Amino acid sequence: MLPGLAQQLVELMAPYLAHTSTALLSPDEAAATIEHFANCDIVAANEKVVLIAPFTPEDSSNRWTSPQLDADVQALWADPVISSTAAGLLKLYRTQKEALIHNDLHAGNLLVAGDSLYLIDWEFATYGPIAFDIGCLLGNLALAVLALQGMEQFERQQEQLRLEQQHLSQLDEQEQQRQQLPSRHNSSSLQQQQQHHSQGTTPVSTDTSLLGHSQNTSNMAAEGAAGMRSEDDKQAARATAAAATSRKRAKRSASAK
């Protein structure tokens, strides 16, 4: 808000409202002046936009932030006090020709140049209620403040949503990493086994079941080896006995000759 805006608005609006007031004119002068600034087409369009359409549910030109404001809009249209007040304001707008009004006073038509304030775009000007201009400006400023608050709230909600989505993404990533750990371990073990196989070596396993199986296999191999050694000893003894028998026979045969 501009500093000193209220005082500047008083100094800007008081001259044209006071100097054109029908209270300062004779009845004939007032009638001629009002007729001169009738501006019928623009006045009809303006009253529709400001005082009719916003309070008419079936009017397709109405716009609002949906679905956030749906309930408020429905409540406004269903309120009989608001409807009655709007109808009364429309009647005053059409009948109270008190002074020349700008008829489209909002922040966009206020020009700030240094310390001076100017009111531009007078093509809507007509005779009407003396309070209409200031009422339009206050309504416009109130809507601007509410819109700004709504935008700030929306931005905060969007930022909160972004942070929540970022947190969920991090959790998903951590979960995926956790699920991939066993598969990575299995893949690494398989690669090690393939490497040992290609090198002709036996991989050392930390699996207790595999260790037990390996131990049983070793025991069986040892027992088999011991059995094989015992059988070899028996065959050697038989061979030695056979050789001794052959020698004895050879001596006997030589003695007989």
Side-chain angles (χ1 to χ4, degrees), residues 74-84:
Q74 296 300 325
L76 182 147
W77 285 339
D79 193 325
V81 175
I82 292 179
S83 298
S84 176

Side-chain angles (χ1 to χ4, degrees), residues 16 34 36 46 68 81 112 138 146 181 192 216 218 226 255:
Y16 75 80
I34 292 171
H36 178 72
N46 197 51
Q68 289 84 352
V81 175
V112 179
L138 292 176
L146 293 174
L181 286 177
Q192 291 177 0
N216 291 336
S218 299
S255 300

Side-chain angles (χ1 to χ4, degrees), residues 28-203:
D28 292 340
E29 290 174 333
T33 305
I34 292 171
E35 179 65 24
H36 178 72
F37 288 100
N39 215 353
C40 296
D41 292 340
I42 289 183
V43 168
N46 197 51
E47 71 178 21
K48 181 179 185 299
V49 171
V50 178
L51 295 170
I52 297 177
F55 309 99
T56 306
E58 59 271 17
D59 195 298
S60 60
S61 65
N62 288 317
R63 298 288 186 273
W64 63 90
T65 304
S66 181
Q68 289 84 352
L69 296 180
D70 287 353
D72 296 305
V73 172
Q74 296 300 325
L76 182 147
W77 285 339
D79 193 325
V81 175
I82 292 179
S83 298
S84 176
T85 301
L89 292 174
L90 177 61
K91 182 179 179 180
L92 288 176
Y93 178 75
R94 289 173 172 174
T95 59
Q96 296 296 317
K97 308 299 183 180
E98 297 175 335
L100 183 67
I101 60 175
H102 182 275
N103 204 30
D104 191 29
L105 183 50
H106 55 78
N109 282 333
L110 289 173
L111 179 62
V112 179
D115 295 333
S116 301
L117 188 65
Y118 299 92
L119 183 55
I120 61 175
D121 293 342
W122 283 84
E123 66 269 19
F124 279 41
T126 189
Y127 265 74
I130 201 169
F132 185 82
D133 279 351
I134 191 64
C136 285
L137 179 60
L138 292 176
N140 174 253
L141 294 176
L143 287 175
V145 171
L146 293 174
L148 179 60
Q149 293 175 347
M151 290 177 61
E152 291 174 346
Q153 181 180 3
F154 175 76
E155 290 175 355
R156 289 194 298 269
Q157 291 174 345
Q158 289 296 103
E159 178 63 16
Q160 180 65 27
L161 180 61
R162 186 190 67 81
L163 293 175
E164 291 177 356
Q165 291 176 342
Q166 181 179 4
H167 179 64
L168 291 176
S169 298
Q170 292 175 347
L171 292 178
D172 290 341
E173 184 177 354
Q174 293 174 359
E175 178 63 18
Q176 291 175 1
Q177 292 176 351
R178 187 187 67 80
Q179 292 177 356
Q180 289 174 358
L181 286 177
S183 61
R184 290 178 179 176
H185 174 72
N186 294 337
S187 176
S188 177
S189 300
L190 179 60
Q191 291 176 356
Q192 291 177 0
Q193 292 174 6
Q194 292 174 346
Q195 182 178 4
H196 287 300
H197 179 73
S198 63
Q199 294 175 353
T201 60
T202 303

